[in-house]
Amino acid sequence: MTQGRAQGQKVSPRNRSAAESKAGKGTAWIGRVVNSLTRKWRLKMLQSVLLVAGLAIGYRIVDLQLLDRHFLQNEGDKRSVRYESVAAHRGVIFDRNGDPLAVSTPVVTIWADPEVLYQASDRWQDLAKALGVSHKWLSDRVQAAKTRDFIYLKRQLTPEQGATVMALRVPGVGAINEHRRYYPAAEVTAHLVGFTNIDESGQEGLELAYNDWLSGEPGQRRVLKDRKGQLARQAELMKSASPGKELMLSIDLRLQYMAYRELKKAVEQHKAKAGSLIMLDVKTGEVLAMVNQPAYNPNNRADMQAHKMRNRVVTDMVEPGSTMKPFAVAAALESGQFHKDSVINTAPGYLRLGRDQVKDNRNHGAIDVTTVLRQSSNVGVSKMVLAIGPDKMLDLLQRVGLGQSTGTGFPGENPGYLPYRDRWSDIEIATLSFGYGLTVTPLQLAQAYTVLGSGGMMRPVSLIKRDVVPDGVRVMDQQVADDLRKMLREVVHGGTGGRAMIDAFEVGGKTGTARKVGPNGYIKDRYIGMFAGLAPIDNPRFAMVVIIDDPSGKNYYGGLIAAPVFSKVAAGALRMLGVEPGELGNPGADRRMAFNPHDRDEQISTPLEEG
């Protein structure tokens, strides 16, 4: 009964509330404990994250600033640092007396970043005016290249013009300091000195031949630029520019001017296609003057034509005509079969050789060797060379430098042509004796005449002034060379070269007139007149060759058109070089204009005329 009452007894609300209150207190305590632990865990986690992040950032800072700092430096340099070339000054070219023939002057080149400049179209008008170009030209150029990184706007402005452009501070526009080649003597030395391109690299003449010597080594500097590409400041010079070396030529500018003037006058007077003159120092082998017509001005490239740029003295080959006769005579004298007093019968004025014949302008009859040269007898020299054979003559021609390069190193130099055959016909031997069937350059011919002037010694030709004169090589018997000089004097005194005579000095030389060759053989009524000589003849200082190519009219003989040029240039050169005249002077000089224009050098009609 007691148990039943206990089971059936109900809990009062008051007791229930007390029980629930105890349970709630327990749960709250647990919650507080949990919340406290949660907050501490979160704090620790946050602290851990902040610590890890701090360590990561610190490591990255150390890595970038200490361990891998070059990366940031390189990235920064890519955006602000530029390396610019410092132009090297090209070496100056002088004549033998120190007068400048080629110099480099400072200029400014204006460039642009088209992408940046395209965004500044409102500044194009001012920029075009400063550059000296039209607004349309500038607009078209920028728009056509707006996807590129670099273009030239104007090259080789004067420093003043460049400063005017840069003062505008147009976005994307910059300047480069360069040099421009200038030639004070202009066309007078153009064929010899040559010229450079806009980047000062040799293109012709000695500028090309000595390009490595004249070119300097560019330097380098580091500069800082802002985001618009404008120069902020120069940082440092990384490498200094090394200037090119100087070059002193052998020519005398005074002689060059005089030779150019007289040659140009003769070419214009005779309405010739071209002309050449070369003067060599007999005692040193140096070139004292080298000129051509037509010429060009290397300072003005607007009207440059290829045929005017050719240095004909070293590149053009001609059949030397009667200027070869002294060497035919020299070969005959060296053979021992002839001597200077030998008599050759040239009657009746022609020599029949099979179907061909060799002619003189008239019948000279029996004449000595000196008269053969003085009267320029084709028959006389033909008989002499036929007697000794072609090999002896060719051997002599090769010894005096024909058929081979003179070794000047001039670009495009032609070695000429000497024929070598197993079998020779008589007419081939005969025409060889008076300068047909072989080709030479004016420079080679002048070098050969220096052998006669130096007593048989041959010295290499030089375009560069020599400090030491080479000894030379003997290529001809001295007595033979001395005899030939006396004979060449007689050619001027009473022979075909009378118009080469000058006052106060004795000179000697040989005239020549050769027919021009075309694709189908010799061209009718077209000739080359030439004169090769020595002055003064007793103790020669220089050898000179004058060639007038394709003159118009009846005055085409070398004695009429080339010998007078020799006379004028030689007279002036002897005075300039300080050569003392002989005691007797030249009393026959006043008779040089009495030279008979009908006294021909040779039978010109054809060297292979059939009889």
Side-chain angles (χ1 to χ4, degrees):
M1 188 172 160
T2 304
Q3 184 179 1
R5 200 171 38 248
Q7 290 177 349
Q9 188 178 5
K10 294 182 179 179
V11 179
S12 66
R14 183 178 179 180
N15 291 337
R16 187 183 304 118
S17 297
E20 288 177 354
S21 176
K22 281 185 179 181
K25 289 180 180 180
T27 302
W29 180 82
I30 294 173
R32 286 193 298 270
V33 172
V34 171
N35 289 336
S36 176
L37 291 177
T38 300
R39 285 194 299 269
K40 290 181 179 179
W41 177 81
R42 288 178 177 174
L43 179 62
K44 293 295 183 181
M45 285 295 294
L46 179 61
Q47 290 175 341
S48 298
V49 170
L50 292 176
L51 178 62
V52 171
L55 291 176
I57 293 172
Y59 172 78
R60 185 56 176 163
I61 291 174
V62 172
D63 179 52
L64 293 177
Q65 297 297 325
L66 298 178
L67 302 180
D68 194 22
R69 64 181 183 274
H70 296 294
F71 172 77
L72 286 182
Q73 290 178 344
N74 290 336
E75 290 300 309
D77 289 347
K78 289 178 182 178
R79 292 160 176 78
S80 61
V81 176
R82 299 290 184 268
Y83 291 91
E84 293 185 347
S85 176
V86 179
H89 196 279
R90 190 173 176 87
V92 180
I93 300 178
F94 299 98
D95 84 329
R96 66 184 304 109
N97 299 316
D99 291 325
L101 304 178
V103 296
S104 292
T105 58
V107 292
V108 175
T109 289
I110 304 299
W111 61 271
D113 182 339
E115 186 177 358
V116 177
L117 183 57
Y118 183 75
Q119 304 300 324
S121 58
D122 58 318
R123 305 295 307 280
W124 289 0
Q125 184 66 46
D126 294 337
L127 179 60
K129 183 178 179 181
L131 290 173
V133 299
S134 67
H135 180 273
K136 183 180 185 305
W137 180 91
L138 180 62
S139 174
D140 291 345
R141 181 154 178 77
V142 174
Q143 293 187 48
K146 63 183 179 181
T147 59
R148 295 167 56 185
D149 296 327
F150 178 94
I151 58 170
Y152 286 117
L153 293 180
K154 197 69 175 290
R155 301 200 67 177
Q156 297 190 345
L157 296 175
T158 65
E160 294 77 13
Q161 292 171 327
T164 300
V165 174
M166 295 309 297
L168 298 175
R169 301 186 67 83
V170 178
V173 176
I176 303 173
N177 293 322
E178 295 182 323
H179 292 93
R180 180 190 180 209
R181 206 65 163 165
Y182 175 69
Y183 303 93
E187 64 267 20
V188 174
T189 58
H191 294 105
L192 177 62
V193 176
F195 60 87
T196 63
N197 61 13
I198 198 169
D199 295 314
E200 279 211 318
S201 179
Q203 300 297 295
E204 290 287 342
L206 295 181
E207 289 274 32
L208 173 60
Y210 288 88
N211 188 58
D212 291 341
W213 176 270
L214 294 166
S215 298
E217 187 175 350
Q220 189 180 65
R221 65 183 175 189
R222 187 170 62 181
V223 299
L224 295 177
K225 293 190 176 183
D226 59 23
R227 63 185 181 85
K228 295 182 178 180
Q230 302 294 331
L231 180 65
R233 67 182 177 90
Q234 294 186 10
E236 61 180 313
L237 182 66
M238 307 298 293
K239 179 183 177 182
S240 298
S242 300
K245 301 180 183 67
E246 296 177 348
L247 190 65
M248 182 165 284
L249 305 189
S250 61
I251 66 167
D252 187 320
L253 189 55
R254 301 170 302 167
L255 302 180
Q256 187 83 0
Y257 267 115
M258 181 176 58
Y260 178 85
R261 181 186 67 234
E262 296 301 333
L263 180 67
K264 182 178 181 180
K265 188 186 302 183
V267 169
E268 291 176 349
Q269 177 185 350
H270 299 289
K271 296 181 175 60
K273 177 183 176 182
S276 299
L277 187 151
I278 173 69
M279 182 189 297
L280 293 181
D281 191 318
V282 167
K283 301 182 184 303
T284 66
E286 295 171 310
V287 174
L288 298 177
M290 179 188 287
V291 294
N292 297 276
Q293 281 293 314
Y296 67 96
N297 185 353
N299 298 315
N300 182 9
R301 314 290 173 83
D303 190 33
M304 291 182 68
Q305 299 175 344
H307 75 280
K308 293 182 179 180
M309 295 162 54
R310 194 166 71 244
N311 188 347
R312 300 169 186 271
V313 169
V314 297
T315 63
D316 284 18
M317 298 188 298
V318 297
E319 288 185 306
S322 291
T323 59
M324 276 295 100
K325 288 177 181 175
F327 301 99
V329 172
L333 296 180
E334 278 191 344
S335 71
Q337 296 177 238
F338 296 87
H339 53 82
K340 62 181 180 179
D341 297 320
S342 297
V343 176
I344 295 95
N345 185 11
T346 64
Y350 62 88
L351 176 64
R352 186 172 294 279
L353 299 171
R355 297 179 56 197
D356 303 301
Q357 66 178 9
V358 174
K359 287 185 177 182
D360 285 338
N361 63 300
R362 63 176 181 268
N363 182 7
H364 298 293
I367 54 177
D368 62 14
V369 174
T370 299
T371 306
V372 167
L373 275 186
R374 184 170 62 241
Q375 299 300 330
S376 195
S377 171
N378 291 344
V379 174
V381 293
S382 295
K383 285 189 171 183
M384 295 170 74
V385 174
L386 283 168
I388 65 172
D391 291 341
K392 287 185 173 62
M393 181 174 177
L394 287 172
D395 176 63
L396 176 65
L397 296 181
Q398 188 175 37
R399 278 186 276 140
V400 299
L402 303 186
Q404 55 196 299
S405 172
T406 61
T408 62
F410 194 90
E413 180 175 357
N414 206 312
Y417 168 73
L418 282 183
Y420 287 94
R421 300 184 178 90
D422 294 331
R423 299 180 62 184
W424 288 80
S425 67
D426 287 344
I427 191 61
E428 289 174 330
I429 298 173
T431 55
L432 181 68
S433 70
F434 51 88
Y436 285 94
L438 73 157
T439 57
V440 302
T441 64
L443 179 60
Q444 288 177 317
L445 186 58
Q447 184 185 36
Y449 270 76
T450 63
V451 174
L452 301 177
S454 63
M457 300 296 293
M458 183 175 177
R459 293 180 176 86
V461 176
S462 176
L463 296 168
I464 308 302
K465 184 180 180 182
R466 283 178 165 149
D467 296 324
V468 178
V469 179
D471 294 333
V473 178
R474 178 162 296 284
V475 297
M476 183 185 294
D477 181 78
Q478 182 171 353
Q479 187 60 52
V480 171
D482 293 342
D483 289 342
L484 259 297
R485 286 206 310 276
K486 295 176 182 177
M487 296 179 191
L488 292 177
R489 179 189 179 278
E490 295 303 314
V491 173
V492 174
H493 286 265
T496 60
R499 290 178 183 259
M501 201 178 295
I502 62 176
D503 297 329
F505 293 95
E506 297 280 7
V507 300
K510 185 70 189 72
T511 56
T513 309
R515 297 192 66 179
K516 287 181 69 72
V517 181
N520 301 316
Y522 292 97
I523 307 173
K524 184 180 180 180
D525 297 330
R526 296 183 65 183
Y527 307 93
I528 298 175
M530 61 197 82
F531 185 88
L534 299 162
I537 195 62
D538 293 332
N539 184 22
R541 176 62 193 276
F542 57 79
M544 190 194 313
V545 171
V546 180
I547 291 181
I548 306 297
D549 183 6
D550 202 8
S552 300
K554 297 180 179 180
N555 291 338
Y556 51 81
Y557 297 107
L560 285 174
I561 62 176
V565 179
F566 175 93
S567 174
K568 294 174 183 177
V569 176
L574 291 171
R575 289 193 298 269
M576 290 180 183
L577 296 175
V579 178
E580 294 292 335
E583 293 183 5
L584 298 179
N586 188 4
D590 59 348
R591 299 195 304 270
R592 63 178 178 268
M593 297 309 294
F595 169 69
N596 183 0
H598 300 291
D599 190 4
R600 299 181 177 183
D601 296 299
E602 61 215 69
Q603 175 62 30
I604 303 300
S605 58
T606 174
L608 298 175
E609 184 171 358
E610 294 186 359

